[in-house]
Amino acid sequence: MVSAVRTYLVQAAAVSGRYELHRSAEVGQHTLWDAAGLLQTQDTRSASAQPITRERLMVQLTDQVAQSLKRTRTED
């Protein structure tokens, strides 16, 4: 899911020059690296809350991006 969300954010950032969209894509990259680290250690019990927090942020950012793109299309 995180990969699909990040792909969406990167595509949205490519279409728009808005800082918020580019920042969302950056957060997505960090989330992917966190997920990769968890898969490497295979120890989800000791995983920090940071990847979970970032995943929640990703969902919020994705919703904001979708709303922003929707408003932009409506204004055009």
Side-chain angles (χ1 to χ4, degrees):
M1 177 182 140
V2 173
S3 179
V5 170
R6 182 172 185 292
T7 299
Y8 174 77
L9 293 173
V10 169
Q11 289 172 347
V15 172
S16 172
R18 296 181 60 184
Y19 169 78
E20 296 87 354
L21 300 181
H22 289 278
R23 183 65 183 128
S24 298
E26 286 179 24
V27 171
Q29 182 66 31
H30 290 291
T31 302
L32 283 176
W33 282 112
D34 289 344
L38 287 174
L39 291 173
Q40 276 298 105
T41 63
Q42 298 178 1
D43 183 11
T44 56
R45 289 185 199 174
S46 67
S48 71
Q50 190 174 11
I52 295 167
T53 301
R54 284 193 177 165
E55 182 179 13
R56 288 180 182 150
L57 178 59
M58 285 282 294
V59 171
Q60 291 173 352
L61 289 172
T62 303
D63 182 55
Q64 290 174 4
V65 166
Q67 295 301 320
S68 174
L69 292 175
K70 187 176 180 179
R71 280 191 304 271
T72 301
R73 288 183 188 131
T74 303
E75 291 170 0
D76 291 344

XYZ file of all heavy atoms in Angstrom:
593
model
N 0.813 -1.185 0.000
C 0.000 0.000 0.000
C 0.865 1.260 0.000
O 0.569 2.203 -0.717
C -0.925 0.007 1.213
C -1.741 1.279 1.271
S -2.800 1.335 2.713
C -2.615 3.014 3.164
N 1.900 1.252 0.786
C 2.746 2.445 0.882
C 3.356 2.776 -0.478
O 3.408 3.935 -0.874
C 3.844 2.256 1.950
C 4.814 3.408 1.944
C 3.223 2.097 3.322
N 3.758 1.763 -1.211
C 4.336 1.991 -2.529
C 3.322 2.606 -3.480
O 3.641 3.534 -4.231
C 4.860 0.671 -3.096
O 5.394 0.877 -4.375
N 2.105 2.122 -3.459
C 1.057 2.662 -4.328
C 0.745 4.106 -3.961
O 0.565 4.956 -4.843
C -0.196 1.805 -4.238
N 0.688 4.391 -2.663
C 0.415 5.754 -2.207
C 1.548 6.677 -2.640
O 1.318 7.780 -3.132
C 0.209 5.796 -0.679
C 0.174 7.223 -0.173
C -1.068 5.072 -0.304
N 2.777 6.212 -2.484
C 3.915 7.040 -2.874
C 3.908 7.299 -4.375
O 4.179 8.409 -4.822
C 5.233 6.408 -2.473
C 6.379 7.332 -2.866
C 7.706 6.914 -2.362
N 8.703 7.893 -2.666
C 9.152 8.207 -3.888
N 8.628 7.648 -4.938
N 10.103 9.098 -4.056
N 3.576 6.292 -5.162
C 3.495 6.470 -6.611
C 2.484 7.556 -6.951
O 2.742 8.419 -7.789
C 3.119 5.147 -7.305
O 4.144 4.182 -7.021
C 2.988 5.316 -8.799
N 1.348 7.514 -6.302
C 0.317 8.534 -6.515
C 0.853 9.922 -6.177
O 0.658 10.880 -6.924
C -0.915 8.203 -5.671
C -1.980 9.268 -5.708
C -2.819 9.408 -6.809
C -2.154 10.146 -4.643
C -3.800 10.388 -6.850
C -3.130 11.128 -4.678
C -3.945 11.237 -5.776
O -4.904 12.213 -5.808
N 1.545 10.026 -5.043
C 2.075 11.324 -4.620
C 3.145 11.840 -5.579
O 3.181 13.025 -5.894
C 2.636 11.226 -3.200
C 1.624 10.970 -2.098
C 2.330 10.734 -0.774
C 0.642 12.122 -1.976
N 4.012 10.947 -6.047
C 5.067 11.356 -6.978
C 4.455 11.829 -8.291
O 4.878 12.848 -8.847
C 6.068 10.200 -7.212
C 7.002 10.491 -8.371
C 6.869 9.931 -5.946
N 3.448 11.120 -8.770
C 2.788 11.533 -10.006
C 2.095 12.885 -9.834
O 2.163 13.739 -10.715
C 1.792 10.468 -10.454
C 2.466 9.213 -10.962
C 1.484 8.084 -11.233
O 0.334 8.130 -10.824
N 1.965 7.059 -11.913
N 1.449 13.082 -8.703
C 0.783 14.357 -8.438
C 1.810 15.489 -8.356
O 1.580 16.591 -8.857
C -0.031 14.277 -7.152
N 2.948 15.215 -7.728
C 3.999 16.233 -7.615
C 4.575 16.580 -8.980
O 4.904 17.743 -9.247
C 5.101 15.743 -6.677
N 4.674 15.586 -9.862
C 5.219 15.827 -11.193
C 4.304 16.736 -12.015
O 4.775 17.563 -12.795
C 5.438 14.505 -11.916
N 3.012 16.591 -11.817
C 2.035 17.394 -12.551
C 1.984 18.816 -12.011
O 1.791 19.771 -12.748
C 0.633 16.737 -12.478
C -0.438 17.644 -13.052
C 0.645 15.399 -13.181
N 2.168 18.954 -10.707
C 2.034 20.252 -10.051
C 3.395 20.737 -9.563
O 4.239 19.949 -9.192
C 1.090 20.124 -8.857
O 1.088 21.305 -8.104
N 3.573 22.011 -9.541
C 4.800 22.584 -9.010
C 4.682 22.951 -7.535
O 5.548 23.624 -6.997
N 3.623 22.487 -6.881
C 3.369 22.891 -5.502
C 4.307 22.206 -4.522
O 4.566 21.013 -4.600
C 1.921 22.588 -5.136
C 0.956 23.419 -5.980
C -0.455 23.163 -5.639
N -0.671 23.501 -4.233
C -1.814 23.308 -3.617
N -2.824 22.786 -4.254
N -1.951 23.629 -2.347
N 4.810 22.989 -3.582
C 5.724 22.486 -2.554
C 5.104 21.348 -1.761
O 5.765 20.353 -1.469
C 6.132 23.623 -1.609
C 6.849 23.125 -0.385
C 8.198 22.763 -0.453
C 6.182 22.977 0.832
C 8.860 22.281 0.661
C 6.841 22.494 1.947
C 8.179 22.152 1.859
O 8.825 21.667 2.959
N 3.842 21.487 -1.401
C 3.172 20.494 -0.565
C 3.199 19.113 -1.213
O 3.387 18.109 -0.535
C 1.718 20.894 -0.283
C 1.551 22.165 0.508
C 1.524 23.412 -0.361
O 1.745 23.325 -1.593
O 1.305 24.491 0.208
N 3.017 19.077 -2.506
C 3.010 17.791 -3.197
C 4.409 17.184 -3.255
O 4.580 15.981 -3.081
C 2.430 17.944 -4.601
C 0.995 18.471 -4.672
C 0.528 18.562 -6.106
C 0.055 17.611 -3.850
N 5.407 18.024 -3.471
C 6.785 17.522 -3.488
C 7.195 17.029 -2.093
O 7.876 16.018 -1.955
C 7.746 18.599 -4.006
C 7.578 18.855 -5.464
N 8.155 18.065 -6.434
C 6.866 19.802 -6.122
C 7.825 18.508 -7.619
N 7.037 19.571 -7.467
N 6.776 17.739 -1.074
C 7.090 17.330 0.307
C 6.403 16.007 0.631
O 6.981 15.137 1.281
C 6.651 18.431 1.287
C 6.983 18.138 2.708
C 8.490 18.093 2.943
N 8.731 17.738 4.313
C 9.520 16.754 4.707
N 10.197 16.048 3.826
N 9.664 16.468 5.969
N 5.177 15.842 0.172
C 4.466 14.585 0.387
C 5.218 13.419 -0.248
O 5.338 12.341 0.343
C 3.054 14.662 -0.207
O 2.297 15.659 0.416
N 5.747 13.634 -1.429
C 6.520 12.594 -2.105
C 7.789 12.257 -1.318
O 8.182 11.094 -1.220
C 6.855 13.027 -3.523
N 8.417 13.272 -0.724
C 9.612 13.034 0.106
C 9.276 12.180 1.323
O 10.020 11.263 1.669
C 10.204 14.363 0.574
C 10.936 15.137 -0.484
C 11.466 16.455 0.063
O 11.678 16.577 1.290
O 11.662 17.373 -0.747
N 8.178 12.506 1.975
C 7.752 11.728 3.146
C 7.507 10.277 2.732
O 7.867 9.340 3.448
C 6.496 12.349 3.799
C 5.920 11.429 4.858
C 6.833 13.702 4.405
N 6.922 10.105 1.562
C 6.678 8.752 1.053
C 7.969 7.969 0.870
O 8.029 6.774 1.155
N 9.008 8.640 0.397
C 10.303 7.966 0.228
C 10.853 7.492 1.568
O 11.334 6.366 1.684
C 11.303 8.912 -0.455
C 12.653 8.293 -0.712
C 12.598 7.173 -1.732
O 11.781 7.177 -2.635
N 13.462 6.202 -1.585
N 10.758 8.328 2.586
C 11.223 7.940 3.922
C 10.415 6.748 4.453
O 10.972 5.846 5.076
C 11.118 9.115 4.896
C 12.089 10.200 4.625
N 13.443 10.073 4.819
C 11.903 11.450 4.144
C 14.051 11.188 4.474
N 13.133 12.049 4.057
N 9.134 6.751 4.186
C 8.274 5.663 4.649
C 8.672 4.354 3.991
O 8.708 3.302 4.646
C 6.791 5.984 4.371
O 6.478 7.219 5.025
C 5.881 4.899 4.887
N 8.989 4.401 2.701
C 9.425 3.181 2.014
C 10.719 2.638 2.610
O 10.880 1.435 2.794
C 9.608 3.450 0.524
C 8.336 3.519 -0.302
C 8.665 3.887 -1.747
C 7.600 2.200 -0.256
N 11.662 3.529 2.916
C 12.918 3.089 3.521
C 12.674 2.493 4.911
O 13.303 1.498 5.285
C 13.926 4.236 3.602
C 14.591 4.501 2.283
C 14.429 5.604 1.498
C 15.497 3.649 1.589
N 15.174 5.479 0.358
C 15.845 4.299 0.384
C 16.043 2.404 1.868
C 16.724 3.735 -0.544
C 16.924 1.830 0.935
C 17.254 2.504 -0.248
N 11.765 3.084 5.668
C 11.420 2.533 6.980
C 10.828 1.141 6.841
O 11.181 0.220 7.600
C 10.428 3.437 7.715
C 11.049 4.744 8.194
O 12.299 4.834 8.229
O 10.285 5.666 8.519
N 9.940 0.968 5.878
C 9.325 -0.339 5.655
C 10.370 -1.364 5.230
O 10.363 -2.510 5.694
C 8.225 -0.230 4.602
N 11.298 -0.937 4.379
C 12.365 -1.843 3.949
C 13.228 -2.258 5.137
O 13.636 -3.422 5.254
C 13.226 -1.170 2.884
N 13.501 -1.328 6.022
C 14.274 -1.654 7.220
C 13.569 -2.666 8.101
O 14.186 -3.591 8.635
N 12.265 -2.518 8.252
C 11.498 -3.481 9.039
C 11.531 -4.868 8.405
O 11.636 -5.886 9.092
C 10.049 -3.014 9.194
C 9.808 -1.859 10.137
C 8.345 -1.424 10.071
C 10.160 -2.252 11.567
N 11.431 -4.918 7.091
C 11.473 -6.207 6.408
C 12.838 -6.871 6.558
O 12.930 -8.091 6.646
C 11.128 -6.032 4.930
C 9.676 -5.655 4.638
C 9.501 -5.347 3.155
C 8.737 -6.775 5.059
N 13.891 -6.068 6.575
C 15.246 -6.607 6.751
C 15.420 -7.249 8.121
O 15.996 -8.315 8.241
C 16.297 -5.512 6.573
C 16.700 -5.220 5.170
C 17.335 -6.405 4.493
O 16.689 -7.012 3.671
N 18.563 -6.728 4.794
N 14.950 -6.571 9.155
C 15.148 -7.092 10.503
C 14.151 -8.193 10.841
O 14.411 -9.020 11.694
C 15.001 -5.981 11.566
O 13.671 -5.467 11.518
C 16.002 -4.870 11.347
N 13.017 -8.195 10.174
C 11.953 -9.169 10.401
C 11.538 -9.235 11.867
O 11.098 -10.258 12.359
C 12.363 -10.554 9.895
C 12.612 -10.589 8.409
C 13.050 -11.950 7.932
O 13.154 -12.896 8.687
N 13.327 -12.051 6.657
N 11.711 -8.136 12.566
C 11.353 -8.082 13.981
C 10.372 -6.932 14.180
O 10.747 -5.844 14.581
C 12.609 -7.877 14.834
C 12.309 -7.893 16.326
O 11.180 -8.270 16.708
O 13.199 -7.523 17.098
N 9.121 -7.203 13.900
C 8.129 -6.137 13.975
C 7.811 -5.746 15.409
O 7.307 -4.661 15.658
C 6.829 -6.546 13.258
O 6.356 -7.770 13.810
C 7.065 -6.708 11.774
N 8.098 -6.617 16.365
C 7.825 -6.270 17.770
C 8.694 -5.121 18.250
O 8.281 -4.306 19.063
C 8.044 -7.478 18.672
C 6.990 -8.526 18.501
C 7.194 -9.628 19.489
N 6.479 -10.807 19.037
C 6.551 -11.962 19.615
N 7.330 -12.140 20.663
N 5.873 -12.981 19.140
N 9.915 -5.079 17.762
C 10.819 -4.028 18.215
C 10.759 -2.788 17.320
O 11.503 -1.847 17.531
C 12.255 -4.552 18.280
O 12.723 -4.827 16.973
N 9.897 -2.815 16.333
C 9.782 -1.671 15.418
C 9.316 -0.445 16.183
O 8.456 -0.516 17.050
C 8.810 -1.997 14.297
N 9.903 0.657 15.822
C 9.513 1.908 16.481
C 8.156 2.360 15.974
O 7.642 1.879 14.966
C 10.559 2.987 16.212
O 10.492 3.393 14.861
N 7.585 3.299 16.653
C 6.291 3.851 16.262
C 6.429 4.784 15.061
O 5.431 5.137 14.441
C 5.680 4.594 17.437
N 7.648 5.152 14.728
C 7.868 6.105 13.639
C 7.304 5.632 12.296
O 6.620 6.416 11.619
C 9.347 6.428 13.506
C 9.627 7.574 12.563
C 11.080 7.956 12.568
O 11.931 7.261 13.104
N 11.383 9.079 11.963
N 7.534 4.386 11.857
C 6.933 3.968 10.582
C 5.405 3.992 10.602
O 4.775 4.357 9.613
C 7.447 2.538 10.385
C 8.690 2.473 11.196
C 8.452 3.369 12.372
N 4.817 3.642 11.719
C 3.358 3.680 11.837
C 2.874 5.121 11.759
O 1.900 5.427 11.066
C 2.906 2.999 13.138
C 3.250 1.510 13.087
C 1.411 3.206 13.378
C 3.136 0.798 14.409
N 3.574 6.004 12.426
C 3.221 7.422 12.386
C 3.347 7.961 10.969
O 2.481 8.693 10.490
C 4.119 8.225 13.345
O 3.948 7.709 14.662
C 3.785 9.699 13.317
N 4.413 7.577 10.288
C 4.610 8.051 8.914
C 3.545 7.490 7.974
O 3.102 8.170 7.059
C 6.000 7.693 8.414
C 7.055 8.583 8.999
C 8.344 8.436 8.281
N 9.313 9.370 8.832
C 10.599 9.281 8.610
N 11.072 8.328 7.868
N 11.419 10.154 9.140
N 3.145 6.253 8.198
C 2.093 5.687 7.354
C 0.788 6.457 7.530
O 0.096 6.769 6.561
C 1.869 4.217 7.673
C 0.819 3.586 6.771
C 0.599 2.121 7.047
O 1.071 1.616 8.084
O -0.061 1.478 6.226
N 0.468 6.794 8.758
C -0.729 7.601 9.008
C -0.615 8.963 8.345
O -1.571 9.480 7.772
C -0.960 7.751 10.506
C -1.428 6.473 11.145
C -1.657 6.635 12.621
N -2.057 5.365 13.202
C -1.799 4.997 14.436
N -1.161 5.800 15.252
N -2.194 3.821 14.871
N 0.568 9.560 8.428
C 0.803 10.842 7.774
C 0.635 10.704 6.267
O 0.049 11.571 5.617
C 2.201 11.367 8.115
C 2.618 12.681 7.469
C 1.665 13.807 7.838
C 4.035 13.025 7.866
N 1.130 9.612 5.710
C 0.991 9.373 4.276
C -0.474 9.342 3.863
O -0.857 9.910 2.849
C 1.642 8.047 3.884
C 3.142 8.075 3.841
S 3.764 8.859 2.368
C 3.228 7.722 1.133
N -1.296 8.672 4.649
C -2.721 8.598 4.338
C -3.333 9.992 4.385
O -4.099 10.381 3.494
C -3.444 7.628 5.294
C -4.952 7.705 5.125
C -2.960 6.206 5.068
N -2.975 10.773 5.398
C -3.489 12.139 5.504
C -3.004 13.004 4.338
O -3.778 13.770 3.759
C -3.066 12.771 6.826
C -3.733 12.158 8.034
C -3.159 12.702 9.339
O -2.164 13.419 9.352
N -3.784 12.351 10.439
N -1.731 12.885 4.007
C -1.182 13.665 2.908
C -1.830 13.291 1.583
O -2.130 14.153 0.758
C 0.335 13.478 2.820
C 1.154 14.128 3.915
C 2.610 13.695 3.813
C 1.044 15.634 3.864
N -2.047 12.007 1.385
C -2.678 11.551 0.156
C -4.079 12.126 0.028
O -4.488 12.565 -1.050
C -2.721 10.016 0.107
O -1.383 9.517 0.226
C -3.330 9.514 -1.181
N -4.806 12.145 1.129
C -6.142 12.726 1.109
C -6.067 14.218 0.784
O -6.846 14.729 -0.028
C -6.842 12.512 2.452
C -8.256 13.059 2.448
O -9.049 12.668 1.574
O -8.567 13.893 3.335
N -5.114 14.926 1.387
C -4.959 16.350 1.117
C -4.577 16.600 -0.344
O -5.066 17.532 -0.971
C -3.914 16.955 2.049
C -4.371 17.039 3.485
C -3.267 17.513 4.417
O -2.176 17.852 3.983
N -3.556 17.520 5.708
N -3.699 15.760 -0.871
C -3.296 15.896 -2.271
C -4.498 15.679 -3.182
O -4.728 16.438 -4.117
C -2.161 14.903 -2.612
C -1.955 14.790 -4.114
C -0.873 15.332 -1.930
N -5.269 14.644 -2.902
C -6.453 14.365 -3.720
C -7.429 15.538 -3.686
O -7.971 15.937 -4.725
C -7.132 13.082 -3.244
N -7.645 16.098 -2.506
C -8.535 17.251 -2.380
C -7.984 18.460 -3.125
O -8.725 19.195 -3.786
C -8.773 17.593 -0.901
C -9.515 16.527 -0.123
C -10.871 16.227 -0.703
O -11.593 17.119 -1.135
N -11.221 14.945 -0.733
N -6.687 18.667 -3.033
C -6.050 19.789 -3.716
C -6.174 19.648 -5.224
O -6.495 20.614 -5.924
C -4.579 19.867 -3.312
O -3.904 20.843 -4.046
N -5.914 18.455 -5.734
C -6.035 18.224 -7.169
C -7.476 18.377 -7.634
O -7.734 18.916 -8.713
C -5.507 16.832 -7.530
C -3.997 16.637 -7.377
C -3.623 15.191 -7.636
C -3.234 17.575 -8.294
N -8.398 17.941 -6.802
C -9.815 18.068 -7.138
C -10.206 19.545 -7.230
O -10.897 19.958 -8.167
C -10.654 17.359 -6.081
C -12.108 17.261 -6.395
C -12.811 16.451 -5.312
C -14.285 16.319 -5.583
N -14.954 15.518 -4.546
N -9.750 20.352 -6.266
C -10.037 21.790 -6.291
C -9.410 22.455 -7.517
O -10.012 23.307 -8.159
C -9.523 22.465 -5.016
C -10.432 22.308 -3.827
C -10.010 23.215 -2.683
N -8.635 23.029 -2.258
C -8.237 22.158 -1.330
N -9.109 21.395 -0.735
N -6.972 22.071 -0.993
N -8.178 22.050 -7.840
C -7.482 22.631 -8.991
C -8.237 22.314 -10.282
O -8.412 23.186 -11.117
C -6.041 22.082 -9.085
O -5.353 22.410 -7.876
C -5.306 22.674 -10.258
N -8.698 21.101 -10.406
C -9.449 20.722 -11.616
C -10.780 21.467 -11.684
O -11.212 21.838 -12.760
C -9.693 19.210 -11.612
C -8.447 18.426 -11.889
C -8.709 16.946 -11.964
N -7.452 16.233 -12.042
C -7.143 15.187 -11.283
N -8.011 14.711 -10.426
N -5.976 14.604 -11.410
N -11.406 21.676 -10.538
C -12.678 22.392 -10.500
C -12.486 23.852 -10.897
O -13.302 24.423 -11.621
C -13.305 22.309 -9.087
O -13.460 20.942 -8.736
C -14.638 23.001 -9.039
N -11.370 24.448 -10.441
C -11.094 25.844 -10.769
C -10.771 26.038 -12.232
O -11.035 27.081 -12.814
C -9.943 26.365 -9.902
C -10.318 26.504 -8.441
C -9.112 26.792 -7.565
O -7.984 26.879 -8.075
O -9.315 26.924 -6.336
N -10.167 25.019 -12.853
C -9.821 25.112 -14.276
C -11.082 24.984 -15.080
O -11.532 25.549 -15.891
C -8.858 24.009 -14.697
C -7.469 24.207 -14.082
O -7.177 25.315 -13.611
O -6.696 23.237 -14.072
